Amino acid sequence: MKIVLLGAPGAGKGTQATKIAEQYGIVHISTGDIFRKNLKEGTPVGLKAKAYIDKGQLVPDEVTCEIVAERLKEKDCEKGFMLDGFPRNINQAEMLEKLCKIDAVVNIDVDLDKLMARLTGRRVCASCGESYHVSTFEGKKCPKCGGDVIQRADDTEETVGKRLRVYTEQTAPLIDFYKKRGVLYNVDGMKAIDEVFDEVKGVLDGLKK
Ligand code: ADP
Ligand code: ADP
Ligand code: ZN
């Protein structure tokens, strides 16, 4: 199963990805997580990406596509994978088409006006990347791995505003791109997390048949 999770920042891609990985045993590849790991380790990729991430802009395609192409060559991707946060523009989607055939694109559909509260209230585990929200989680340690739960530097009101604009201009056109290819499946991301996951399972179980 080769799938893409599409959706605005805060739509719940990471949250659903964890559940999908547990249920279906497929690898979760988040370009955002890869960039943050590189940032923490101070690698050349991390240094290049930082300026863009801080400004809420997309990291240039040359850097991002290279990372994804290399990651997909690894052995654990043979049985399938799930991309979260990639592709984010048409050029990236065209590059992905050259690498492999995607079985389904799950678009987590949300009301963009509701995302500011989700993102400014988001807390993430600095070790495993799991997402939490201040409204339901007050701890400082990740229940999954014991890592530190922090607020991302780009989850401020100003940067979130910019990221939502980038989404509308560059990423939202991918909905039509994949609709035309007959692989787009919409789920209602405004429902509760478990209800969204029920819809996701409906899509993915249908594919296996
Ligand atoms: P993305 O990976 O798409 O940017 P996340 O999965 O990190 O989004 O979710 C963003 C924030 O919204 C997190 O704080 C998460 O706990 C919360 N969240 C995710 N899904 C839902 C949902 N269906 N309803 C309410 N809050 C959600
Ligand atoms: P969110 O889902 O909350 O928007 P991500 O963790 O997916 O956050 O991405 C964080 C930042 O990393 C983005 O704002 C962007 O700067 C960079 N990034 C992640 N994925 C990509 C990508 N496919 N192309 C370009 N930049 C990316
Ligand atoms: Zn963790």
Side-chain angles (χ1 to χ4, degrees), residues 1-5 13-14 17-18 20-21 26-36 64-78 80-88 96 99-100 102:
M1 195 157 55
K2 294 175 178 167
I3 63 174
V4 167
L5 290 180
K13 300 180 297 298
T18 305
I20 295 168
I26 54 173
V27 188
H28 172 201
I29 302 171
S30 156
T31 40
D33 284 350
I34 294 173
F35 285 135
R36 282 184 289 278
T64 310
C65 290
E66 167 77 15
I67 283 177
V68 172
E70 287 305 312
R71 181 68 187 84
L72 294 184
K73 280 185 203 156
E74 284 176 41
K75 185 126 187 75
D76 60 350
C77 293
E78 273 173 13
F81 54 79
M82 159 182 40
L83 287 166
D84 157 12
F86 184 94
R88 251 179 159 92
L96 181 62
L99 290 181
C100 63
I102 295 296

Side-chain angles (χ1 to χ4, degrees), residues 4-51:
V4 167
L5 290 180
L6 195 60
K13 300 180 297 298
T15 302
Q16 296 301 323
T18 305
K19 292 176 163 293
I20 295 168
E22 278 166 13
Q23 176 96 14
Y24 298 93
I26 54 173
V27 188
H28 172 201
I29 302 171
S30 156
T31 40
D33 284 350
I34 294 173
F35 285 135
R36 282 184 289 278
K37 184 164 181 281
N38 276 280
L39 252 170
K40 212 158 85 178
E41 292 169 357
T43 69
V45 164
L47 292 175
K48 254 187 236 167
K50 186 180 185 324

